Amino acid sequence: MCGIVGYNGKKKAVDILLDSLSKLEYRGYDSAGIAIRDKEIEVYKAKGKLANLKEKLEKKDLKGTIGIGHTRWATHGEPSENNAHPHTSNDGSITLVHNGIIENYQELIQKLEKHDYKFYSETDTEVLANIIDYYYKKYKMGPIDAINRTMVRVRGSYAIAVMFEEHPDEIWVARKDSPMIIGQNEDGTYLASDVPAILKYTNQVYYIDNLEAACLKKDQVTFYDLNGDTIEKELTTIKWNAEAAEKEGYEHFMLKEIFEQPDVIKKTINYYIQNNKIDLSKSGITKDVLKSFKEIYIIACGSAYHVGINAQYIFEELARIPVRVEIASEFRYRHPILDKKGLAIIISQSGETADSLAALREAKKQGVKTLAIINVVGSSIAREADYVLYTIAGPEIAVATTKAFSAQLIVSYILAIEMAHIRRKINAKLNLELIKEIQTLPDKVQYILDNLTHSIQKISSEFSYVHDAFYIGRNLDYAISLEGSLKLKEVSYIHSEAYAAGELKHGTISLIEDKTLVIGVITQEEVYEKTISNLVEVKSRGAFIITVSSDNLDVDKVSDYSIKIPETNKYFYPSLTVIPLQLLGYYITIARGLDVDKPRNLAKSVTVE
Ligand code: M6R
C-alpha cells in the first residue's frame, strides 16, 4: 500500500528520494514525506499527492546525501500532514518510515505511555519509532539490537527504514510480510518498496527476507538475522529496463501499458513456447508432477481472480480437471478443505498481495503443492511458492492492471494446454493447433489496437455521463465481463456490474431502464443465441447496447454500437475481448477528467489485509 524509499550515497538525497517516490505513487498518494540529514535530520511532509511535497521543497536547498521517504495510503488515521510519514520518536532521535500494519499498536502505546512516551498522530507507525527508541536507550546495545527486539515485540506486517540520530552515516531497515528491495551502485545504496522506484539508478538489488534487518552505508550493505548475526547475500541483476517504468510519450501509464500488450503477450508466449512445444521447466515443475494433480485451487484477488475464473472454464473443459477459484481474502478464514493431491495456483502481478500470500501459506500448511503465476521476480509469493511461472510483462505502474492481466491469461492458457496434453485429454493435432493459434494472439491484439482505438475513444466520450453500466456474457464471455466491469468502475467511478447473461432475469433486470448502458460480450458460439436473447430482453426495456463480438457472429439486431474483434480459438477470446473493454474504461475515465493512473482510494499493491 504505502511506498518507502531511501538513499545513502554521494549525491543529493532529495532529488533521488522525490524521483523514487514518484515511481511509487501508485502504491498510495494521500500524503508524502521525506527526512534528510545534513547536520541534523529534517522532516518535510505534505498532505495529498507528491506534487504538494515537491512544491513545499522547491525553494529549499537540501544538501544532505542521506535520507528516507514515504508515500502514504492511509490505514490508521485520516490522510493529513500530521499522520504522514516520516514519524519521529519523542525526543527526535529516531526517524522512521513504514509500510504495513502494526496489529498490536494499542497495546504497545499503553506500554510506552507507562514510560512517559507521548503520541501526536493517529497512526500505528509512530509506536514503532518510540519502541525502537525505548529498546535503544534501555539496552544501549546499538541499532540492530533495538530493531531485533522491536521485531520480536510487534505483530503485523512492516517494511521500515530508520535513521538514528546517533548513527549519522547509516540507514537501518527491516521487514516482515511487506515488500522491500535494496539496491547498490557506485553512487550509493538505495532502498524501495518496489524495483521501478530505483531502476533508473541501479538494476543490482538484494532481497531482504522476513525478520531480517540491514544497515545501509554509502558503499556497503550489511544484513543481519534476528540473532544479530550477519548474513551473506548476493546481488541480483534485474532484467527490466529503466524506460519500462517511464511514460515514454504516452499521456498515461494505463494507455502505455494497454499498447504494450502485443509485445508482452509475445514475450510471455516465447518464454514458454519454442518450436511449437510448451516448456514449463523454468518453473521447476516436471511433467510427472503436473500429471499427478487431482484438482486445482486457483486463489487470487481482483483482476488476478478474474484470470482465475477465465482459467477455470479452460482447465475444466480442455484438461478435464476440477477447478475451484477462490477469493484470497476469504480463502483461509473459511477453513477450506484441500486434497493433498491438489495444486494451489496463486495468481498475482505484484507477488506481494497480503491475502494471496496468506492463502499460499494456508495451502502449504495443508500439505498442498503451490504454483505461483507472478510478474515481479523475487517477490514474496514467488519466493515462497514451490513452483513459479513468471509473466513477462515488465513493470506495471498504472493502478488498474492491463498488461499483467493479459500476460496472466496467456500463462493460464499455456498451463491448461500442457495439462490437457499430459493428461491425454487432447490429441497431438489439437495440441499443435492450440499452440499455433496462441502465437497469433499478439498480431490480433495489435490489429484491435490499430483499428479500433479511435472509434472506442469516440463512443467513450458519449458515455462519460452514465451512472451505471452492466456487462453481460456467458461462459468465457462472462468471465471476461467481470474484468471489463472492474476496469470501468475502478478508474471512472461509474457503478458497474458484470453478470452471467442468464442470471440477469433473476433480479438485476429490474435495474434496466431507458438508456441504461449494457455491454454484451459475444464470442462463444455454443451460447451465442442465448446471449443474443438476453440482450434482446434488455434492449426491449430501453438499454443502450454496446457489443464486443467476434467477426463471424451476427450481432446487428441487438447492437446500438458494435465492436468487432478478429476470430480465434474459443479458449483464447478473453485475450482479444479484454482489449476494447480496457480501452472503454480508459477513455470514459479520460472523458470524465479523472486521474486514470491513480484512482482515488486505491493502491497498486495491497500489502495489508
Ligand atoms: O498484485 P496482484 O495481482 O496480487 O493484485 C491483485 C489486485 O489487487 C489487482 O488486480 C487489483 O484488482 C487491480 N486494481 C486491478 O486493476
Side-chain angles (χ1 to χ4, degrees):
M1 316 292 284
C2 306
I4 68 171
V5 297
Y7 173 69
N8 187 3
K10 300 178 194 159
K11 299 197 164 170
K12 267 169 73 172
V14 62
D15 302 332
I16 294 173
L17 294 178
L18 290 177
D19 177 60
S20 299
L21 282 176
S22 73
K23 306 282 164 23
L24 285 185
E25 244 196 319
Y26 67 86
R27 298 179 68 88
Y29 29 84
D30 60 42
S31 59
I34 57 168
I36 304 257
R37 181 167 201 146
D38 195 358
K39 288 192 181 60
E40 304 208 315
I41 299 173
E42 298 208 24
V43 173
Y44 302 91
K45 307 180 191 190
K47 188 181 165 190
K49 294 197 171 159
L50 187 62
N52 299 352
L53 179 67
K54 283 186 178 158
E55 200 183 313
K56 214 169 182 176
L57 295 173
E58 232 160 45
K59 297 209 173 68
K60 307 224 178 288
D61 182 23
L62 301 175
K63 295 201 170 62
T65 59
I66 177 168
I68 55 179
H70 188 269
T71 178
R72 181 167 185 250
W73 186 90
T75 55
H76 294 63
E78 58 166 9
S80 69
E81 195 168 317
N82 192 44
N83 289 331
H85 301 215
H87 285 287
T88 48
S89 58
N90 277 193
D91 65 359
S93 61
I94 306 288
T95 306
L96 167 147
V97 290
H98 165 223
N99 167 30
I101 285 186
I102 303 305
E103 287 164 6
N104 59 338
Y105 79 107
Q106 295 285 12
E107 169 205 327
L108 296 174
I109 286 177
Q110 280 164 20
K111 171 188 162 74
L112 289 167
E113 278 174 346
K114 287 189 192 135
H115 297 277
D116 292 332
Y117 280 88
K118 304 269 181 292
F119 292 87
Y120 60 82
S121 77
E122 302 154 274
T123 66
D124 55 334
T125 297
E126 196 189 346
V127 80
L128 281 175
N130 284 313
I131 195 113
I132 292 174
D133 180 66
Y134 170 75
Y135 288 133
Y136 184 74
K137 291 191 172 117
K138 180 170 177 190
Y139 294 102
K140 299 187 175 44
M141 289 177 71
I144 185 59
D145 177 73
I147 286 174
N148 277 347
R149 284 178 195 277
T150 301
M151 284 207 271
V152 172
R153 191 67 179 77
V154 301
R155 285 199 312 275
S157 59
Y158 48 82
I160 54 171
V162 193
M163 293 166 81
F164 289 76
E165 196 182 26
E166 291 184 352
H167 296 265
D169 303 325
E170 298 167 358
I171 297 174
W172 285 82
V173 300
R175 80 171 273 260
K176 179 180 164 276
D177 292 342
S178 287
M180 176 159 54
I181 46 117
I182 293 167
Q184 187 167 11
N185 68 3
E186 58 291 350
D187 290 330
T189 55
Y190 306 75
L191 72 99
S193 299
D194 208 345
V195 171
I198 58 169
L199 205 51
K200 183 167 158 189
Y201 307 103
T202 181
N203 64 353
Q204 301 293 305
V205 303
Y206 293 106
Y207 294 111
I208 172 166
D209 281 315
N210 272 341
L211 297 173
E212 290 180 352
C215 173
L216 278 66
K217 294 194 175 161
K218 284 189 190 325
D219 54 0
Q220 179 193 335
V221 185
T222 312
F223 291 88
Y224 298 88
D225 65 15
L226 208 48
N227 296 320
D229 294 330
T230 56
I231 324 170
E232 290 302 318
K233 283 196 187 266
E234 300 272 309
L235 275 168
T236 302
T237 304
I238 298 287
K239 298 204 177 96
W240 291 350
N241 62 25
E243 293 74 46
E246 306 290 337
K247 281 193 204 141
E248 288 183 308
Y250 283 90
E251 205 179 334
H252 300 102
F253 278 112
M254 184 172 171
L255 190 63
K256 177 188 171 223
E257 288 162 7
I258 288 174
F259 274 81
E260 279 176 341
Q261 290 178 110
D263 188 45
V264 160
I265 291 175
K266 188 182 259 169
K267 282 187 178 141
T268 305
I269 293 170
N270 291 345
Y271 197 67
Y272 296 111
I273 297 179
Q274 291 96 33
N275 303 321
N276 290 327
K277 290 212 164 56
I278 293 176
D279 177 7
L280 301 180
S281 58
K282 291 189 189 91
S283 71
I285 205 160
T286 63
K287 286 183 193 278
D288 282 344
V289 172
L290 213 48
K291 201 174 172 181
S292 68
F293 300 117
K294 298 278 174 279
E295 53 186 51
I296 292 177
Y297 318 110
I298 302 181
I299 314 153
C301 300
S303 295
Y305 168 78
H306 297 157
V307 172
I309 302 274
N310 279 273
Q312 182 183 39
Y313 282 92
I314 305 167
F315 273 104
E316 291 205 333
E317 197 175 314
L318 203 57
R320 306 306 298 154
I321 184 162
V323 178
R324 231 157 75 189
V325 192
E326 306 245 5
I327 292 174
S329 56
E330 288 295 308
F331 181 68
R332 82 194 126 130
Y333 294 118
R334 63 175 199 79
H335 308 292
I337 300 168
L338 306 181
D339 187 328
K340 288 208 169 32
K341 291 196 176 135
L343 171 68
I345 301 180
I346 316 293
I347 307 177
S348 173
Q349 186 283 129
S350 62
E352 300 291 351
T353 300
D355 288 314
S356 305
L357 179 59
L360 171 105
R361 289 177 181 164
E362 173 67 31
K364 286 185 93 168
K365 202 169 90 193
Q366 292 203 31
V368 169
K369 288 277 179 226
T370 55
L371 183 152
I373 299 177
I374 301 289
N375 194 42
V376 178
V377 176
S379 56
S380 300
I381 297 176
R383 278 187 284 159
E384 292 191 27
D386 296 310
Y387 313 105
V388 184
L389 290 171
Y390 281 109
T391 47
I392 316 299
E396 190 177 64
I397 309 293
V399 166
T401 181
T402 51
K403 62 174 180 170
F405 177 88
S406 284
Q408 289 163 351
L409 275 180
I410 295 295
V411 172
S412 67
Y413 302 155
I414 292 175
L415 188 59
I417 297 169
E418 183 67 347
M419 281 193 110
H421 181 53
I422 291 172
R423 291 162 62 85
R424 296 180 191 278
K425 301 296 175 193
I426 55 172
N427 59 27
K429 184 169 169 277
L430 179 56
N431 187 46
L432 184 62
E433 260 171 47
L434 289 167
I435 290 174
K436 283 191 169 164
E437 182 59 25
I438 205 174
Q439 293 174 80
T440 68
L441 291 175
D443 285 346
K444 289 177 179 169
V445 171
Q446 190 66 58
Y447 173 88
I448 295 171
L449 290 169
D450 290 346
N451 294 285
L452 300 178
T453 301
H454 185 63
S455 53
I456 292 173
Q457 180 175 13
K458 241 172 108 197
I459 185 87
S460 297
S461 62
E462 288 173 35
F463 283 96
S464 58
Y465 65 87
V466 299
H467 296 293
D468 307 284
F470 295 89
Y471 289 70
I472 65 171
R474 285 170 179 256
N475 196 298
L476 281 166
D477 294 333
Y478 161 60
I480 207 62
S481 293
L482 292 166
E483 177 60 7
S485 168
L486 178 60
K487 225 61 315 156
L488 179 72
K489 73 180 128 195
E490 70 178 328
V491 289
S492 73
Y493 317 146
I494 292 172
H495 163 246
S496 88
E497 295 182 43
Y499 275 92
E503 184 65 13
L504 266 193
K505 283 202 277 290
H506 299 281
T508 313
I509 201 161
S510 64
L511 295 172
I512 306 292
E513 50 190 17
D514 204 28
K515 298 275 180 298
T516 303
L517 180 58
V518 174
I519 293 119
V521 184
I522 320 169
T523 64
Q524 302 294 305
E525 278 192 66
E526 269 174 69
V527 287
Y528 154 72
E529 285 177 349
K530 295 187 189 302
T531 310
I532 293 286
S533 302
N534 298 135
L535 284 167
V536 170
E537 285 157 14
V538 291
K539 194 175 172 68
S540 61
R541 284 159 179 85
F544 185 96
I545 296 176
I546 299 179
T547 51
V548 178
S549 67
S550 50
D551 229 357
N552 58 326
L553 297 179
D554 178 8
V555 293
D556 287 352
K557 71 168 183 250
V558 290
S559 309
D560 291 301
Y561 184 81
S562 150
I563 299 169
K564 288 279 187 189
I565 56 160
E567 286 178 53
T568 186
N569 180 281
K570 66 174 180 173
Y571 299 117
F572 304 149
Y573 272 115
S575 288
L576 303 186
T577 46
V578 77
I579 308 294
L581 301 181
Q582 293 168 344
L583 288 167
L584 272 174
Y586 173 79
Y587 281 117
I588 287 180
T589 304
I590 298 306
R592 286 162 74 89
L594 297 168
D595 185 346
V596 73
D597 281 341
K598 299 192 209 84
R600 69 184 177 207
N601 305 337
L602 289 180
K604 177 101 184 135
S605 276
V606 185
T607 51
V608 294
E609 276 195 58

